[in-house]
Amino acid sequence: MKIIHTKDRIFEEEFDRIRNRGKVVDEVLKDVVRKILDDVAKRGDAALFEYTEKFEGFFLNADTVEVKPHEMEAAITNLDEGDLDVLEFAARRIEMFHRKQLPSSWQVSEEEGIELGQLILPLDRVGIYAPGGLAPYPSTVLMAAIPARIAGVREIILATPSKGERVNPLILAAAKLSGVDRIFKIGGAQAVAALAYGTESVPPVDKIVGPGNVYVATAK
């Protein structure tokens, strides 16, 4: 245990460090992220591809930013059988659980013609962010996409960083199993901006879910 005293020369510095250690976001980081968000909102694909090259180390364009359908099919075909079994098992369990949670619309007629009720409507389009850095998170895809599909969301979009132009096959397989409609090879705050505002290649969504690093969390 570290002990500090009020009379210590560095007391104020140490006390501030301890007091602020729970803060996830500082003002400098907010400014950096805000500039990225505003730039992508303003310049669309051009800014998105520039930040991808700067932060991820590879170049994308309108033709390569989205995962092709045959890439998703190949991911399941070439995946280790044991890994696929685990993903399929998890998908079944997640679907079973969330189907029991599904709320329903209802309506009743009261006296004097008063109508009361609850109308449940799904979002039109949702975006999922799945980290793809040090380790893939196929569980994120399953736990976010399957409930959205059960709820009746019309289109499910996935953004995930790739290694070069290759998305982790576990992520692709999870996306295929859970009903993801489109996958984009983008990450970081620029991916959140693309999902929020839309670009020439990435459609805007109504809600963004999924974990990420401090830049992604701040952007969300």
Side-chain angles (χ1 to χ4, degrees):
M1 177 183 295
K2 184 173 184 177
I3 299 175
I4 60 174
H5 299 277
T6 55
K7 295 181 179 180
D8 290 345
R9 182 178 55 83
I10 59 170
F11 171 78
E12 293 295 337
E13 178 183 341
E14 285 293 302
F15 184 73
D16 284 341
R17 183 183 62 80
I18 294 172
R19 181 168 55 87
N20 294 321
R21 63 187 175 186
K23 291 185 178 179
V24 176
V25 179
D26 59 31
E27 293 305 316
V28 174
L29 178 59
K30 284 184 179 180
D31 289 341
V32 171
V33 171
R34 171 52 60 191
K35 289 177 181 177
I36 294 173
L37 297 180
D38 291 344
D39 197 18
V40 173
K42 181 179 179 180
R43 297 197 296 125
D45 273 357
L48 175 62
F49 299 153
E50 285 176 18
Y51 286 119
T52 299
E53 184 176 18
K54 177 180 179 180
F55 297 129
E56 307 294 340
F58 66 95
F59 182 76
L60 291 173
N61 56 42
D63 185 56
T64 59
V65 66
E66 184 172 358
V67 173
K68 304 293 190 296
H70 72 269
E71 294 179 78
M72 292 183 67
E73 294 291 346
I76 287 187
T77 302
N78 299 324
L79 198 64
D80 178 82
E81 186 176 345
D83 290 337
L84 182 58
D85 288 344
V86 170
L87 289 178
E88 289 177 336
F89 176 77
R92 289 194 300 270
R93 294 295 297 268
I94 293 168
E95 180 160 354
M96 177 186 67
F97 178 83
H98 286 291
R99 284 202 178 278
K100 294 181 182 297
Q101 287 187 314
L102 193 64
S104 59
S105 299
W106 56 269
Q107 185 173 340
V108 296
S109 297
E110 297 288 337
E111 297 176 0
E112 301 179 357
I114 297 175
E115 299 288 337
L116 302 174
Q118 173 178 270
L119 180 61
I120 306 296
L121 296 173
L123 296 173
D124 188 53
R125 181 187 291 129
V126 298
I128 300 169
Y129 187 95
L134 296 177
Y137 287 77
S139 57
T140 290
V141 181
L142 295 176
M143 290 187 288
I146 290 175
R149 175 167 52 79
I150 291 172
V153 173
R154 181 182 64 83
E155 188 174 25
I156 303 172
I157 305 294
L158 173 65
T160 184
S162 63
K163 300 294 185 182
E165 293 187 9
R166 180 179 178 273
V167 176
N168 188 284
L170 287 171
I171 295 289
L172 292 180
K176 179 68 176 179
L177 289 172
S178 55
V180 170
D181 295 290
R182 302 176 69 182
I183 305 173
F184 293 91
K185 307 170 185 178
I186 52 177
Q190 63 271 19
V192 176
L195 291 173
Y197 303 122
T199 70
E200 295 87 342
S201 297
V202 183
V205 302
D206 301 307
K207 185 179 181 67
I208 302 172
V209 300
N213 62 21
V214 66
Y215 291 92
V216 171
T218 303
K220 288 171 61 182

